[in-house]
Amino acid sequence: MTKNLKIIGKPTPKIDANIRVTGEAQFGHDIQLPNMLYGAILRTKYPVAEIISIDTSKAKKLEGVKCVITADNIDVNNISYRRDHPILKKGQVNCIRDEIAAVAATSKEIAQKALELIEVKYKVREGIFDPFEAIKEDAPQINHFIDGKYPNKNIAEHFHYEHGNLDEEKAISKYIVSHRYTLPRVTHCCMATSNMTADYSKTDGKLTLYSTTQVPFLYQRDIARALKMEPSKIRIIQVVIGGGFGSKLDMYPYEPICALLSMKTGQPVQLIFSREEEFIASPTRQTMIYDVTAGADENGRFTFRDVRVTLDNGAYTSWGATTPFVMMQTFSSLYQCPACRFDSTSVYTNNVYAGSFRGYGNPQATFALERTIDMLAEEIGMSKSEIRILNANFKGEITKQGLHFNTCGHKEALETVIEKVKGHTHPLVPSQEWKTKRYKRGVGYASMLHVGGGAKIYPSDGCGTTLKIDPFGYLTIITGSSEIGQGSETVLAMIASEELGIDISRIKVINTDTDIKPWDVGVHASRTSFVAGNSVLGAVKKLKEKISPKAAQLLKTNVDDLIYEKGLIKSVINESSIELDKVVRAIHFKEPGELCIDTYFFEPSSEFADNEFKGNVSGAYAFASQSVEVEVDTYTGNVKVLDVYVAQDVGKVLNPLGLAGQIEGGVVMGMGYALLEELIVDKGMILNPNFHNYKLPTAMDVPGIHFYPIETEDSLGPYGAKGVGEAPLIPTAAAIANAVSDAIGVQIDSLPVTPEKVLRALEEKF
Amino acid sequence: MLSMVDFNVISPESVDELILEIENNQSNNFRFGAGYTDLLLELRKQSGPKINVINLSKLNDAKFSAIEKTDDKIRIGSLITAGELVKNKEIQELFPVLHQAANSLASKQIRQVATVGGNICTASPAGDIATALVALEAICEILSTKNEIREVPIKEFMLGVRKTALKKNEILRSVVIPIIYADTKIISDFIKIGTRKSMECAIVSLAYHFLLDDDGIIKHSGIAIGSSAPTIKFTQGACDFLIGKKIVDFTDDDKKVFADKVLEYATPISDIRGSEWYRKKVLHNISKSILE
């Protein structure tokens, strides 16, 4: 990577920044189609009930109502990867999100009025809201659509992983700690609420969905399966997405419902969630209970981890149930660990179900592991920084789970944040004064490991790119990847600009239409810069193989002597040059009479995990460490985060501006998870479905965030880059909890660390 | 979830017009609209018969929309916004507790529209400005359709959650805070307990305003607590405890006795924002803290 880079690594504003800040961007809420109807969904009044009857006759008679659907007048398949989720429910409801009926009407108000006119008779039943109750043998079956994969009727998903000899490692462990951790239910809080506009043509049987999905091709397949259609008759057009964060990785009932309303009426139908509905009916981060036992030898080297996780699956299954696939990597491979057993069970309850959320289980796993490491350090009497550096991962390490760390910035990241927090401006209150001082300060550390080069989960982890240079020298990148605000289209344009010497203002990125763009698995696993970036590089290479011979011919030089720069192709030998567009025109309009267009598909060299979940599933791995200083008010229990120091192995900085946005946004999201956010649920009801009582951090709460990129230049990444999107959120809550624990000398074992929990902990201590 | 009650808007521009509109609406369902920060949310949640909103934002009357200082009092119009209170230098100097309370209300954006009258008439036990005004023993000036003014001490104005002493033919025109001149020193502040730094509804709040003489002896004391009972409470017993004493003389035991006296007025509930235990605990702690 000694190449002198022109735009890569330089702060570059997002190419979609202007339309976003001026309001020109077309979000789903802005779409208006001719003859468009408005859809609305009737949800259950009670989390658990038998449905005795549904009477839609009054709603149907209301003027302006075009269509009312219930489970009885639709022909569909169940959804979710476990196929355990009916789109509309009949006979019984199992959680407060349950969809019973839907209407399409000529206005939102009429649609709403129609919902009020639908009469549903319920027989309310007792629910089960605790996974430990639901897993008991005598508990009634909650979900009746499962396939009997597991002997216990309320188990939705189970993962078991192990490596090393647990008994031997336990035997040589001088120090062993055991602890239980409880992680809350939080939600994405996307600024744009869930939305869809469906447009079905009865003439040709084609369905166009203006959707916010972040996985358009998987979505096309899922919608087709749900609606019993041919996938290619479904066209997904991705609108500007007002926040994804993993929430749009799965398909939820409202989406096929909206499509069905359009199919029944033959008119476009738009369905938009209110904020309250968004809180109640959109996915959450998986709530779970961790039981962790871990050991260290006399020198502080980690020996084993024995982990049992119980996940509250909710009433149906979504991707939340598969988060153990990611969590087990943290336990098997973050810091060196000779023996590990990880066992997770996702249990059906009558609570709302979880989807995927930035970090995919990793913030929960990292919290449990990093809290345990602090407890081990205390047990040993070792410093919390030293024990981490001693056990840190290293370059060239092949973990027992089979992850290959070709590059690894773990130790450097740790050393950086340990050093930086030492030099902080806030003097620590001397420990002898702790008993008398109102404000106490503490420092906490945490690291994280996450895939950074895609994740081999689906049959393909690839991404296709088509490049087209027009006769005027402008480049169009048609990429399979999607922009959900993470800045990927800017990075892809930067890569193409770097390689072809075309100014970024002359590059267009087309990435929103499944009828046009080549296949891509979607936005997840922090993969887009790595996979789509490599795909662009591959396409550039192919395109240059077409352009360079012509340029060499025109410049009377060799192909190897050409450089692409500032819209020109230059010969480094005879210093002659020619405009790129001239070469394109020569190829197109003269000999050989071809378009300057080419397509490339990049598939990462990673491998699938075997049936023991072992294998090198990613092309690269990202590491990050954070150190946090907090101040705890022992009178009120309030925790003030003073500074967060972030050192992250990003491989290579592609766009410093975009990267800073990811880091700052991630840290603030992690801080919300640590201190404020929780969907409060009582017997299946959500008690705070609004921003008034669901506490998202505001700009006023943002601490000092200090970022130190670690550039390890991974040979497989574009210019050496790795995935960065999820990492900044993952260790934050763990580091904050560790800092609070350090400040007040009590163990923090659940999130969020509310003022009340802090005061109670202090009360119990003194 | 989208439904919103249907409403008419009437916008009187003078007190005469206002009185006329109130009279005209005596048999209707009507509400006053000033900053609309609470009212819009309420209207969105409601259904039922049409509501007439008497919009006060076009009303042009100094008594409603000015801050007037005389020798012995400050009159604050009910249409004064929290943002205007924050900017007012005389309030900042004379009544720091009110300045701080106004400044901790919701967010800067909301403070530009939320009004003093709205904060009082919503009669929330968590009202920030209202809690400060209770500590300052403000007097509510109520205008009736007879064009007469009735005076009610603010602690008697708020009767319970969303319940006030206002009759249907009355409107809160202004509040008056008496100025009691201190010889030397004012100790006055508003402590709001919440989990984040803005956009908070107090879990508990404590408003206090002490006037000290040259020797540091407390001559006057006003203390009110918010979010601790069905209405904002003036803690008379705790105020009396301080009179004639010096803060520097208080022992840890005195501080505890004082905090206990504040707590005598607290009958908080447990809700999703905080438990009864937490509210009492933290109120006790911050009560002690003001004597430290």
Side-chain angles (χ1 to χ4, degrees):
Chain A
M1 298 297 151
T2 49
K3 205 165 140 187
N4 192 13
L5 297 170
K6 295 174 290 271
I7 183 168
I8 294 296
K10 308 280 188 304
T12 306
K14 291 173 82 171
I15 60 175
D16 56 344
N18 290 353
I19 64 155
R20 287 191 182 243
V21 297
T22 56
E24 204 180 294
Q26 290 285 303
F27 291 86
H29 302 58
D30 299 319
I31 289 176
Q32 281 292 330
L33 298 179
N35 300 317
M36 191 172 83
L37 302 173
Y38 297 86
I41 294 170
L42 180 72
R43 295 177 194 280
T44 177
K45 248 187 189 168
Y46 310 97
V48 191
E50 250 176 71
I51 300 177
I52 309 293
S53 64
I54 306 171
D55 182 356
T56 60
S57 56
K58 283 182 190 159
K60 280 179 179 157
K61 281 182 202 145
L62 184 67
E63 198 182 331
V65 171
K66 298 287 178 181
C67 174
V68 181
I69 57 173
T70 63
D72 283 334
N73 62 3
I74 56 173
D75 178 24
V76 293
N77 287 318
N78 280 0
I79 63 169
S80 101
Y81 84 94
R82 292 292 318 273
R83 313 273 177 268
D84 65 352
H85 194 170
I87 293 167
L88 286 166
K89 284 71 179 171
K90 67 185 284 187
Q92 64 170 25
V93 286
N94 268 322
C95 81
I96 197 63
R97 278 184 196 155
D98 276 1
E99 299 80 1
I100 294 175
V103 300
T106 51
S107 76
K108 290 176 194 170
E109 291 74 18
I110 294 172
Q112 206 58 41
K113 182 81 195 154
L115 293 188
E116 289 165 20
L117 293 174
I118 297 173
E119 290 168 3
V120 184
K121 288 207 176 80
Y122 301 92
K123 186 174 175 192
V124 178
R125 289 202 178 280
E126 285 281 308
I128 306 176
F129 306 103
D130 177 352
F132 294 110
E133 290 298 317
I135 206 166
K136 286 180 180 166
E137 282 304 321
D138 58 346
Q141 184 165 349
I142 291 165
N143 186 302
H144 294 277
F145 305 100
I146 41 172
D147 51 15
K149 184 176 169 188
Y150 301 107
N152 183 305
K153 56 192 174 298
N154 282 334
I155 290 183
E157 195 62 277
H158 176 257
F159 287 90
H160 184 87
Y161 166 84
E162 57 184 85
H163 75 239
N165 190 324
L166 211 68
D167 292 335
E168 275 178 21
E169 293 294 334
K170 258 186 191 172
I172 62 159
S173 299
K174 189 169 176 197
Y175 306 97
I176 294 179
V177 295
S178 273
H179 210 81
R180 170 171 281 198
Y181 306 98
T182 307
L183 283 310
R185 191 177 273 107
V186 296
T187 188
H188 307 71
C189 298
C190 298
M191 287 298 107
T193 55
S194 299
N195 64 85
M196 156 158 290
T197 307
D199 187 5
Y200 181 73
S201 165
K202 283 193 169 175
T203 313
D204 59 14
K206 285 183 183 163
L207 175 65
T208 303
L209 300 177
Y210 297 84
S211 158
T212 58
T213 180
Q214 55 189 85
V215 286
F217 292 98
L218 305 184
Y219 188 80
Q220 187 183 34
R221 181 202 63 188
D222 288 348
I223 288 271
R225 192 182 284 136
L227 300 178
K228 303 184 176 177
M229 284 181 73
E230 280 181 56
S232 293
K233 287 206 163 182
I234 299 167
R235 179 183 185 188
I236 312 293
I237 295 177
Q238 292 163 279
V239 296
V240 174
I241 296 169
F245 311 112
S247 64
K248 279 108 177 131
L249 200 62
D250 205 352
M251 179 188 73
Y252 299 97
Y254 84 92
E255 292 155 292
I257 285 173
C258 185
L260 284 164
L261 290 171
S262 180
M263 291 164 81
K264 293 257 179 195
T265 56
Q267 286 175 253
V269 175
Q270 186 167 80
L271 203 155
I272 296 175
F273 280 15
S274 68
R275 181 56 65 183
E276 186 183 9
E277 201 172 10
E278 184 77 6
F279 273 108
I280 292 169
S282 60
T284 66
R285 190 182 288 290
Q286 187 84 54
T287 174
M288 53 187 75
I289 298 111
Y290 259 97
D291 289 298
V292 181
T293 302
D297 68 15
E298 55 189 4
N299 300 316
R301 282 213 162 263
F302 298 151
T303 47
F304 76 95
R305 293 166 185 161
D306 192 1
V307 182
R308 208 169 63 240
V309 200
T310 306
L311 295 86
D312 179 348
N313 192 65
Y316 308 98
T317 307
S318 177
W319 293 124
T322 66
T323 52
F325 187 81
V326 171
M327 299 194 289
M328 67 174 70
Q329 282 181 3
T330 291
F331 283 96
S332 77
S333 303
L334 176 59
Y335 303 97
Q336 302 161 54
C337 184
C340 173
R341 180 165 64 192
F342 175 96
D343 193 275
S344 77
T345 308
S346 192
V347 187
Y348 284 110
T349 68
N350 293 115
N351 287 316
V352 293
Y353 47 93
S356 63
F357 194 162
R358 192 179 190 181
Y360 214 84
N362 210 349
Q364 296 96 311
T366 301
F367 175 82
L369 176 62
E370 288 285 358
R371 285 296 301 124
T372 304
I373 291 173
D374 263 23
M375 285 183 207
L376 266 177
E378 282 166 23
E379 191 75 16
I380 300 167
M382 197 171 176
S383 97
K384 288 164 187 169
S385 49
E386 196 188 335
I387 194 170
R388 289 181 164 84
I389 288 176
L390 176 71
N391 289 286
N393 297 107
F394 56 91
K395 182 180 159 120
E397 182 181 354
I398 298 173
T399 76
K400 293 268 174 64
Q401 200 184 351
L403 315 183
H404 293 232
F405 297 156
N406 296 329
T407 53
C408 172
H410 187 195
K411 200 171 164 198
E412 195 181 343
L414 265 171
E415 285 168 345
T416 303
V417 299
I418 290 164
E419 185 58 31
K420 295 295 174 186
V421 81
K422 262 189 214 157
H424 56 73
T425 50
H426 312 283
L428 278 176
V429 176
S431 56
Q432 63 269 25
E433 288 179 36
W434 277 17
K435 287 224 159 174
T436 52
K437 289 276 181 188
R438 171 173 178 178
Y439 298 98
K440 300 185 196 303
R441 291 196 171 162
V443 170
Y445 308 101
S447 296
M448 75 98 225
L449 156 70
H450 204 72
V451 291
K456 206 69 132 196
I457 299 162
Y458 302 102
S460 163
D461 189 26
C463 174
T465 305
T466 297
L467 294 182
K468 181 183 88 168
I469 306 182
D470 69 21
F472 313 105
Y474 276 60
L475 173 74
T476 302
I477 302 172
I478 307 168
T479 172
S481 68
S482 306
E483 173 70 35
I484 64 164
Q486 82 276 43
S488 71
E489 56 189 28
T490 306
V491 159
L492 299 184
M494 287 169 75
I495 290 173
S497 173
E498 185 71 44
E499 297 300 318
L500 291 166
I502 300 173
D503 190 83
I504 198 159
S505 65
R506 293 172 169 232
I507 297 177
K508 305 172 221 181
V509 181
I510 305 294
N511 54 359
T512 58
D513 188 341
T514 54
D515 270 6
I516 296 167
K517 67 179 191 174
W519 197 86
D520 172 71
V521 77
V523 180
H524 81 124
S526 304
R527 66 184 283 281
T528 303
S529 288
F530 186 95
V531 181
N534 272 326
S535 182
V536 168
L537 283 175
V540 164
K541 190 164 171 254
K542 283 181 78 179
L543 196 58
K544 275 185 169 177
E545 282 165 9
K546 192 174 272 184
I547 298 169
S548 291
K550 185 58 142 189
Q553 182 198 339
L554 294 171
L555 294 175
K556 301 184 173 57
T557 185
N558 291 319
V559 167
D560 296 342
D561 300 331
L562 297 175
I563 54 167
Y564 289 64
E565 201 172 68
K566 292 183 179 164
L568 301 172
I569 302 176
K570 295 177 186 171
S571 163
V572 289
I573 301 297
N574 63 18
E575 290 187 7
S576 59
S577 69
I578 184 169
E579 287 83 0
L580 175 65
D581 54 307
K582 264 192 190 165
V583 182
V584 172
R585 287 197 294 271
I587 295 168
H588 182 171
F589 298 115
K590 294 175 187 162
E591 191 63 32
E594 272 184 17
L595 294 169
C596 277
I597 184 164
D598 221 322
T599 294
Y600 178 74
F601 184 70
F602 174 76
E603 181 68 45
S605 57
S606 49
E607 55 195 37
F608 291 101
D610 61 19
N611 55 12
E612 292 183 337
F613 299 108
K614 287 173 185 159
N616 192 30
V617 294
S618 184
Y621 297 89
F623 298 86
S625 298
Q626 295 185 6
S627 59
V628 172
E629 191 185 7
V630 300
E631 182 177 85
V632 181
D633 181 344
T634 58
Y635 282 15
T636 65
N638 282 89
V639 175
K640 189 199 264 181
V641 178
L642 301 171
D643 284 289
V644 181
Y645 300 87
V646 181
Q648 187 170 319
D649 175 2
V650 298
K652 170 85 183 169
V653 178
L654 297 177
N655 183 5
L657 273 184
L659 181 55
Q662 287 281 20
I663 301 293
E664 288 165 14
V667 166
V668 174
M669 195 174 243
M671 193 184 77
Y673 188 49
L675 299 176
L676 296 169
E677 294 178 49
E678 181 168 21
L679 267 184
I680 302 170
V681 176
D682 181 41
K683 292 196 167 69
M685 302 293 286
I686 291 171
L687 303 185
N688 57 340
N690 52 62
F691 281 124
H692 187 64
N693 287 317
Y694 183 94
K695 308 278 185 182
L696 208 58
T698 74
M700 301 287 286
D701 301 296
V702 176
I705 300 170
H706 315 274
F707 175 48
Y708 311 92
I710 311 274
E711 296 193 305
T712 52
E713 304 202 342
D714 199 282
S715 61
L716 297 177
Y719 308 95
K722 303 175 175 184
V724 302
E726 292 166 280
L729 151 90
I730 292 168
T732 309
I736 290 174
N738 282 347
V740 172
S741 183
D742 181 51
I744 60 174
V746 298
Q747 299 304 344
I748 301 293
D749 49 21
S750 70
L751 296 178
V753 187
T754 61
E756 179 152 355
K757 276 185 200 165
V758 170
L759 276 202
R760 281 210 191 264
L762 284 169
E763 180 103 340
E764 281 161 23
K765 187 187 171 198
F766 296 112
Chain B
M1 287 172 194
L2 268 172
S3 64
M4 188 163 191
V5 67
D6 199 6
F7 60 89
N8 274 333
V9 179
I10 312 151
S11 301
E13 294 180 16
S14 66
V15 169
D16 289 345
E17 284 177 34
L18 171 66
I19 287 173
L20 188 68
E21 290 304 341
I22 299 173
E23 262 178 359
N24 288 345
N25 278 285
Q26 285 304 299
S27 55
N28 297 333
N29 194 4
F30 78 95
R31 297 293 305 269
F32 294 114
Y36 293 90
T37 56
D38 285 328
L39 188 64
L40 271 182
L41 292 176
E42 257 181 68
L43 294 180
R44 282 188 74 153
K45 279 184 199 156
Q46 274 179 19
S47 54
K50 201 167 196 166
I51 288 180
N52 286 341
V53 174
I54 300 181
N55 169 37
L56 303 174
S57 65
K58 297 233 165 113
L59 186 65
N60 187 9
D61 185 272
K63 289 280 186 286
F64 272 92
S65 48
I67 300 176
E68 303 166 331
K69 181 177 172 291
T70 57
D71 284 349
D72 60 347
K73 59 177 179 276
I74 273 190
R75 171 179 286 114
I76 301 168
S78 60
L79 295 179
I80 288 293
T81 65
E84 288 167 329
L85 269 191
V86 171
K87 273 188 247 163
N88 188 286
K89 288 278 174 279
E90 283 163 336
I91 285 174
Q92 199 172 344
E93 277 165 29
L94 291 167
F95 311 116
V97 58
L98 182 57
H99 171 81
Q100 279 304 333
N103 204 25
S104 64
L105 183 139
S107 67
K108 185 149 191 163
Q109 293 89 330
I110 289 173
R111 290 197 286 275
Q112 304 317 309
V113 288
T115 62
V116 171
N119 201 261
I120 297 169
C121 293
T122 298
S124 159
D128 294 321
I129 292 173
T131 305
L133 289 170
V134 171
L136 292 168
E137 295 169 81
I139 307 292
C140 295
E141 296 183 324
I142 298 165
L143 176 73
S144 74
T145 48
K146 291 174 192 150
N147 205 2
E148 289 168 357
I149 292 291
R150 171 165 83 98
E151 293 183 354
V152 177
I154 188 164
K155 62 181 174 185
E156 291 163 27
F157 182 85
M158 292 175 287
L159 302 175
V161 178
R162 299 191 176 253
K163 270 182 16 201
T164 70
L166 276 185
K167 296 179 186 137
K168 200 171 180 182
N169 71 333
E170 290 179 330
I171 183 168
L172 177 67
R173 186 194 68 177
S174 42
V175 288
V176 168
I177 310 171
I179 301 174
I180 306 163
Y181 283 96
D183 292 331
T184 52
K185 202 176 170 192
I186 300 173
I187 296 179
S188 174
D189 204 354
F190 181 76
I191 302 174
K192 179 173 180 174
I193 302 300
T195 52
R196 55 185 174 188
K197 289 183 194 155
S198 65
M199 296 306 292
E200 276 291 1
C201 175
I203 298 172
V204 289
S205 63
L206 178 69
Y208 60 98
H209 185 72
F210 306 150
L211 303 175
L212 280 59
D213 72 9
D214 276 344
D215 302 322
I217 293 168
I218 299 168
K219 301 302 250 185
H220 171 89
S221 145
I223 303 165
I225 54 176
S227 297
S228 307
T231 59
I232 298 161
K233 291 285 179 187
F234 186 79
T235 64
Q236 187 71 53
C239 296
D240 295 344
F241 177 78
L242 300 178
I243 299 296
K245 294 176 183 153
K246 284 187 185 178
I247 289 181
V248 290
D249 290 343
F250 286 123
T251 64
D252 283 351
D253 280 345
D254 291 336
K255 291 170 194 166
K256 197 177 161 297
V257 171
F258 167 73
D260 289 343
K261 287 190 181 294
V262 174
L263 260 285
E264 281 172 23
Y265 295 83
T267 52
I269 53 163
S270 289
D271 64 12
I272 55 173
R273 290 183 294 124
S275 69
E276 179 191 346
W277 176 86
Y278 177 72
R279 287 188 156 106
K280 285 184 170 172
K281 180 83 190 164
V282 79
L283 186 58
H284 200 266
N285 283 346
I286 57 174
S287 298
K288 282 189 291 185
S289 81
I290 65 176
L291 301 181
E292 283 174 353

